[in-house]
């Protein structure tokens, strides 16, 4: 194991064991290096690596702290990695969304409030029947984000947020090239919303699956 990897594993071990908790300040570099049996250089590299993936927060002139370890913070790194996707992997991203998003939508059916449903409904009404493709896709992202947040699962919400980039491009492409894409998307949004209002988890799951699968099916036929 590389020296830096060993240092990362030792700091990770301290966090997992509870020796370091969210918000804790790490001991001074010289003390921590001695405690873990590491060189100060390898410790410094490990801290730099862990700060990049939001495990640690290096505050200039103050010290190094364990972050909140909130899932949304930790999964920001996923968005960064996803940005490097190749166009030929977009179908794989859509397949992952087709697994996760309908499950989140079903979970939301019993948890979403009437006020949240009214807000989503107002969002669709404001969009009208003939929005531009860019307006529709922006609304699409907010519409599904609002539903997924209502699932009550912050990890699921962060994962789907991180996967949104490649599928956004695919949806814009579809909207610009497929004749009925806009009207079909609006119809599917209204069907999902109606199922949520009825507190029908399985209908909500089914419509969310149809919604994503229709983009996936179109993309598969065009590639």
């Amino acid at each position: 194991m590389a020296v830096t990897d060993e240092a990362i594993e030792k700091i990770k071990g301290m966090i997992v064991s509870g020796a370091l908790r969210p918000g804790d300040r790490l001991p001074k570099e010289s003390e921590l290096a001695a405690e873990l049996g590491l060189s100060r250089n390898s410790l410094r590299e490990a801290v730099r690596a862990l700060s990049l993936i939001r495990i640690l927060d290096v505050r200039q002139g103050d010290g190094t702290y364990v972050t909140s370890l909130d899932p949304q913070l930790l999964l920001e790194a996923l968005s960064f990695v996803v940005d490097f996707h190749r166009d030929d992997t977009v179908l794989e991203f859509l397949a992952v969304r087709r697994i996760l998003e309908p499950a989140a939508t079903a979970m939301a059916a019993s948890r979403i409030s009437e006020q949240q449903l009214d807000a989503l409904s107002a969002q669709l009404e404001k969009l009208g029947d003939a929005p531009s493709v860019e307006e529709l896709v922006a609304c699409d992202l907010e519409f599904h984000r609002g539903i997924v947040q209502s699932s009550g699962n912050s990890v699921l919400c962060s994962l789907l947020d991180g996967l949104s980039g490649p599928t956004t491009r695919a949806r814009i492409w579809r909207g610009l090239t497929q004749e009925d894409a806009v009207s079909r998307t609006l119809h599917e949004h209204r069907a999902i919303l109606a199922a949520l209002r009825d507190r029908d988890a399985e209908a909500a799951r089914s419509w969310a699956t149809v919604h994503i699968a229709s983009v996936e099916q179109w993309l598969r036929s065009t590639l």
Side-chain angles (χ1 to χ4, degrees):
M1 182 184 293
V3 177
T4 301
D5 290 341
E6 181 186 0
I8 289 171
E9 284 300 315
K10 287 186 174 181
I11 296 173
K12 175 185 169 185
M14 292 181 72
I15 294 170
V16 171
S17 70
L20 285 173
R21 298 181 180 278
D24 281 356
R25 181 177 176 173
L26 270 64
K28 290 181 179 179
E29 186 182 89
S30 56
E31 295 173 6
L32 186 58
E35 180 183 340
L36 298 178
L38 301 167
S39 71
R40 292 178 68 169
N41 189 54
S42 61
L43 177 61
R44 203 171 293 130
E45 290 298 321
V47 167
R48 186 177 292 115
L50 290 170
S51 68
L52 286 173
I53 57 172
R54 303 303 185 90
I55 301 293
L56 299 178
D57 178 20
V58 180
R59 303 176 190 174
Q60 202 65 36
D62 186 16
T64 300
Y65 293 79
V66 181
T67 67
S68 65
L69 302 180
D70 179 79
Q72 188 169 0
L73 181 69
L74 298 182
L75 287 168
E76 280 182 8
L78 175 65
S79 299
F80 181 77
V81 173
V82 165
D83 283 340
F84 289 97
H85 78 282
R86 304 186 312 272
D87 285 345
D88 60 356
T89 63
V90 174
L91 277 169
E92 294 180 13
F93 284 109
L94 281 166
V96 174
R97 288 190 71 89
R98 181 163 44 84
I99 294 167
L100 298 179
E101 197 161 293
T105 304
M107 289 167 66
S110 62
R111 301 179 182 184
I112 193 167
S113 70
E114 289 297 325
Q115 290 86 352
Q116 288 169 311
L117 287 168
D118 289 343
L120 290 172
S121 182
Q123 189 180 9
L124 291 182
E125 289 300 318
K126 183 180 178 183
L127 198 60
D129 292 323
S132 69
V133 171
E134 289 77 8
E135 287 172 336
L136 179 65
V137 172
C139 175
D140 187 80
L141 286 170
E142 289 305 312
F143 181 81
H144 293 292
R145 184 178 287 121
I147 292 171
V148 172
Q149 285 174 342
S150 298
S151 73
N153 189 312
S154 61
V155 173
L156 195 52
C157 189
S158 297
L159 278 171
L160 285 165
D161 247 5
L163 292 169
S164 66
T167 58
T168 297
R169 285 179 58 190
R171 291 181 185 195
I172 291 174
W173 183 17
R174 178 196 183 207
L176 291 170
T177 57
Q178 189 179 38
E179 188 176 341
D180 64 343
V182 171
S183 60
R184 186 184 299 185
T185 298
L186 290 170
H187 170 70
E188 290 162 357
H189 278 184
R190 290 177 182 127
I192 292 168
L193 191 55
L196 291 172
R197 281 201 183 277
D198 290 340
R199 307 296 172 181
D200 189 334
E202 288 312 307
R205 184 197 306 273
S206 296
W207 275 112
T209 303
V210 166
H211 184 54
I212 298 166
S214 63
V215 181
E216 193 177 357
Q217 183 180 33
W218 165 81
L219 185 59
R220 197 179 299 278
S221 70
T222 60
L223 290 177

